[in-house]
Amino acid sequence: MARFTDETKERVKQAADIVEVVSPYTDLVRRGKDLWGLCPFHDERTPSFKVNPQDKLYFCFGCQASGDVLRFVEEKEGLSFPEAVEMLAERYGVEIERESEDPRAEEARRRRARLWELLERTAKFYERYLWEAPKAHKARAYLEGRGLGEEVLRRFGVGMAPSAWDQVLTGSQRAGFKVDELQAAGLVQKGRQGGDYDRFRSRITFPIRDQRGRVLGFGARALSAASKPKYLNSPEGELYRKSNTLYGIDRARGPIAKARRAVVVEGYTDVLALQQAGVEETVAIMGTAITPEQLTMLAGLTDVVVLALDADRAGADAMIRAQRVAGGKGLDLRVAAMPEGEDPADMLEAGGLDRFHELVEGAIDLPSFRVRTALGRGDLGSVAGRERTLAEVAPVLAAMGEVVGRDELIREVADRLDTDPSLVSERVRAAPREGSAEPGAAGNGAKGSTPQVAKPPLTPRETRERALLAMCIADPKTGRPFIERLTEEHLSESGRPALRWLREHLGNPMAGLPRDDEALTALITQLVMSSERVPASAGAMQLNFDLLEQQRLEDSITAAQSAGDYEAGARLSRERAQLTDRIAYAETLGA
Ligand SMILES: [Zn+2]
């Protein structure tokens, strides 16, 4: 896709309200000219995440996450840079200009935009039909019977497809859409005689949206028991892919980040019922097993995923794969087993919100869940039954690897089977590893996703160089000579690109940062933000410079010694001694 003009990027940044963009992910409190909150990038109890509304930057003193408003959108909404620009441009009404565009890419982009428009239009049509058409009374009665109120139904744009064979087809054609666009959007399909007809008829429609809220397709529930299948979805196509879609994600994103967990259910109505009951961190996998792509989407928002699924499904192979993928992403995947034959919507309808909360709070990791299910089902009264149960749980325990909870679980099994833990351990060691782990199973991962773990602490050298560089930014006039005296040997590997950048851009370090250099962008952003709180004085700069110089001398001495150049070593050692004296003197002055 053609690049945005620099002016477009600047205008988008100017127009965007970073506080509004960040707020869905964490509650911000104003302190001075900055706002503070719990970091949406790592788990913490006291706020170390700062947002600067003037410069539209954020910075976390805990995990060092940092960037501008565009970067925040990329990271938290899982978007690529162009998507982040588009999304904010749309939201803040900025017109996008591009450098002259490759005609084919331009054409593809136009087509996608047309399909989105068509789907959005159709969703609106279905929604109106549900509320206005007399023939939709049965659908309304069904939804009401499930305890779903008008407010939540409208919030999710639930609608109804009429029974006619061509209402969407002809209506869309009149509005200027072509049959091939209707087919590509999954709204129309070919009959046996070659004619085209509406795919969804006499069904309750649930628009399926992407993270940005754009309609990708529909899930549609039959109104009469006779029509099959009960649920009909949009076909996979240019826009809709089941494996990387989560129903409700556009609404649940912020709540998931705030609640620090995602609740995953199976059906559309489960999502609606839970949203209505205030459990807003809920999304649905639409009857499939959770996929690596879906886990990746959630991993960008939280590190706890609770699957509120039918107990039988939770043991299935797909779940075991999901467990491995989750492990690879640092996600804590738990199971809240729903009672047999009861889904969350049923439970809430029967007034069981507290029960649902209890189940979710009590969710356990998948291996524990499977072991306990086996213990619960097994015939532990007979030797043969105990043996079968042990044979069933041993591979599960073996697959856990040497993790903290395993010994506890082994003791639990031994206790229930009335045997010795060492015997269970032995069986675990001998057990076949179920579905050996494939490191590549995690898929390609989301674009722009960064590890959510806190970064390792800075080395003393990094701390010093960052302090010095931040001071130079804070007071460029005094800082300039230090920037010129610093060499690459003074700095850590990560600090060098920043030095190179600042040599050219000390006056306005944020302008024109190369987009494809994430490390540089992050570091410069951090430096700019911390430059506002470092007391910059020539004395403090000199001291930091000297400390870096001392480090450089030490490196050179080591290098000289290992090269056998004792003369150079001695000279450098004298230099170091002088410098050490100077530093000690400066420190007594409290520079
Ligand atoms: Zn953080």
Side-chain angles (χ1 to χ4, degrees):
M1 194 191 300
R3 292 167 46 87
F4 304 108
T5 60
D6 287 343
E7 213 193 331
T8 294
K9 285 182 254 178
E10 268 320 301
R11 279 209 314 268
V12 166
K13 266 200 248 179
Q14 286 306 315
D17 179 347
I18 192 170
V19 177
E20 201 174 273
V21 170
V22 170
S23 288
Y25 295 96
T26 182
D27 292 318
L28 294 170
V29 177
R30 185 170 283 280
R31 251 194 270 156
K33 64 185 173 65
D34 297 316
L35 292 100
W36 292 78
L38 292 173
C39 177
F41 296 95
H42 84 280
D43 199 7
E44 62 175 9
R45 300 274 145 82
T46 52
S48 51
F49 180 77
K50 172 173 121 166
V51 173
N52 175 325
Q54 272 84 43
D55 299 336
K56 311 194 183 198
L57 300 173
Y58 64 92
F59 179 73
C60 171
F61 291 98
C63 70
Q64 318 282 320
S66 64
D68 61 13
V69 62
L70 284 163
R71 170 128 225 114
F72 188 88
V73 170
E74 285 181 72
E75 294 284 324
K76 285 317 275 187
E77 322 239 332
L79 302 178
S80 65
F81 177 68
E83 288 173 330
V85 173
E86 279 177 7
M87 190 263 232
L88 288 177
E90 198 177 305
R91 180 157 167 193
Y92 291 99
V94 175
E95 200 174 321
I96 289 182
E97 283 167 15
R98 292 164 195 277
E99 317 278 8
S100 54
E101 194 169 31
D102 163 18
R104 273 221 307 281
E106 160 91 27
E107 176 57 35
R109 200 171 52 78
R110 286 234 174 94
R111 177 171 167 93
R112 276 200 309 278
R114 292 261 304 166
L115 298 186
W116 276 317
E117 191 194 332
L118 173 58
L119 285 158
E120 186 66 48
R121 231 182 139 262
T122 308
K124 290 256 160 62
F125 164 71
Y126 289 152
E127 188 183 353
R128 255 197 331 276
Y129 192 85
L130 174 69
W131 297 108
E132 291 168 14
K135 281 189 182 158
H137 72 93
K138 218 175 130 193
R140 291 195 298 269
Y142 166 80
L143 292 163
E144 196 184 326
R146 294 237 59 187
L148 300 170
E150 183 169 342
E151 194 277 328
V152 76
L153 294 171
R154 285 195 187 270
R155 206 190 315 155
F156 281 81
V158 176
M160 183 185 162
S163 59
W165 287 81
D166 62 353
Q167 205 150 342
V168 167
L169 177 67
T170 52
S172 306
Q173 282 179 309
R174 267 201 303 278
F177 291 95
K178 300 190 197 72
V179 173
D180 92 287
E181 288 175 317
L182 279 145
Q183 282 167 349
L187 293 170
V188 153
Q189 58 196 42
K190 276 223 174 306
R192 280 197 206 113
Q193 262 76 48
D196 299 290
Y197 63 95
D198 288 5
R199 178 177 176 88
F200 302 112
R201 298 176 315 280
S202 274
R203 284 171 178 269
I204 296 174
T205 55
F206 302 88
I208 301 166
R209 297 170 187 275
D210 67 7
Q211 308 207 46
R212 288 166 66 177
R214 296 178 298 210
V215 179
L216 303 175
F218 295 90
R221 190 192 190 281
L223 267 175
S224 76
S227 57
K228 297 275 179 311
K230 186 169 160 195
Y231 278 97
L232 178 69
N233 280 355
S234 288
E236 305 238 317
E238 288 174 42
L239 299 182
Y240 176 62
R241 287 232 328 273
K242 197 172 182 172
S243 62
N244 58 10
T245 311
L246 283 166
Y247 179 68
I249 189 70
D250 56 313
R251 294 259 159 203
R253 243 181 17 235
I256 287 172
K258 273 191 184 164
R260 296 183 177 277
R261 79 169 175 212
V263 174
V264 177
V265 295
E266 287 182 84
Y268 308 102
T269 49
D270 295 327
V271 169
L272 298 179
L274 285 163
Q275 286 269 348
Q276 183 171 262
V279 189
E280 293 184 347
E281 68 272 27
T282 308
V283 292
I285 48 178
M286 302 176 291
T288 54
I290 193 157
T291 64
E293 291 94 332
Q294 290 165 334
L295 285 169
T296 300
M297 262 160 103
L298 295 174
L301 300 168
T302 179
D303 29 59
V304 180
V305 174
V306 179
L307 301 166
L309 306 176
D310 192 291
D312 283 332
R313 295 181 62 100
D317 288 352
M319 283 289 299
I320 295 158
R321 277 199 301 278
Q323 178 74 43
R324 271 209 304 274
V325 172
K329 294 184 188 303
L331 269 180
D332 178 1
L333 188 65
R334 300 182 198 161
V335 184
M338 301 302 297
E340 229 176 298
E342 197 178 11
D343 61 29
D346 297 330
M347 190 176 277
L348 263 55
E349 213 183 307
L353 180 60
D354 289 345
R355 238 173 92 224
F356 184 78
H357 275 303
E358 263 166 44
L359 282 174
V360 169
E361 296 300 333
I364 54 177
D365 62 281
L366 184 63
S368 305
F369 172 79
R370 294 175 64 210
V371 166
R372 286 181 194 156
T373 309
L375 290 172
R377 282 187 189 152
D379 164 26
L380 306 187
S382 74
V383 177
R386 288 200 294 271
E387 179 54 37
R388 265 199 306 277
T389 306
L390 186 54
E392 193 182 336
V393 301
V396 179
L397 290 162
M400 286 175 80
E402 305 279 340
V403 294
V404 182
R406 189 170 80 168
D407 283 347
E408 210 175 308
L409 211 49
I410 286 176
R411 275 195 301 277
E412 190 178 327
V413 171
D415 198 39
R416 293 287 302 279
L417 299 182
D418 201 16
T419 181
D420 197 75
S422 66
L423 183 96
V424 179
S425 297
E426 203 173 298
R427 289 292 293 271
V428 170
R429 271 194 299 278
R433 288 268 184 137
E434 58 175 17
S436 64
E438 320 138 83
N444 295 329
K447 49 214 155 171
S449 70
T450 48
Q452 298 298 307
V453 287
K455 291 176 186 143
L458 297 179
T459 62
R461 176 181 243 161
E462 287 169 328
T463 309
R464 264 171 226 136
E465 79 191 12
R466 277 156 211 216
L468 176 56
L469 295 176
M471 288 177 192
C472 295
I473 292 170
D475 180 357
K477 207 164 148 247
T478 316
R480 172 71 65 190
F482 288 100
I483 293 287
E484 272 150 25
R485 282 168 67 199
L486 278 173
T487 64
E488 309 235 324
E489 284 86 68
H490 284 110
L491 303 181
S492 70
E493 197 135 343
S494 62
R496 288 172 196 165
L499 175 65
R500 287 196 287 272
W501 180 259
L502 290 175
R503 281 197 185 127
E504 309 294 324
H505 303 89
L506 189 59
N508 187 4
M510 291 305 293
L513 274 168
R515 261 295 151 193
D516 48 1
D517 192 340
E518 294 189 6
L520 178 66
T521 304
L523 181 52
I524 296 292
T525 312
Q526 286 173 30
L527 292 172
V528 169
M529 290 192 73
S530 55
S531 73
E532 294 163 6
R533 66 192 169 97
V534 291
S537 69
M541 287 187 212
Q542 183 67 53
L543 178 57
N544 276 304
F545 181 84
D546 288 345
L547 288 164
L548 289 169
E549 172 71 2
Q550 189 179 37
Q551 182 88 57
R552 185 190 70 86
L553 284 169
E554 257 149 43
D555 293 347
S556 307
I557 291 165
T558 313
Q561 280 165 350
S562 59
D565 187 347
Y566 299 103
E567 205 179 313
R571 181 173 46 77
L572 290 163
S573 295
R574 280 195 302 278
E575 264 186 65
R576 181 182 58 179
Q578 286 167 5
L579 180 63
T580 307
D581 286 349
R582 202 161 74 225
I583 292 170
Y585 180 66
E587 280 179 335
T588 58
L589 295 181

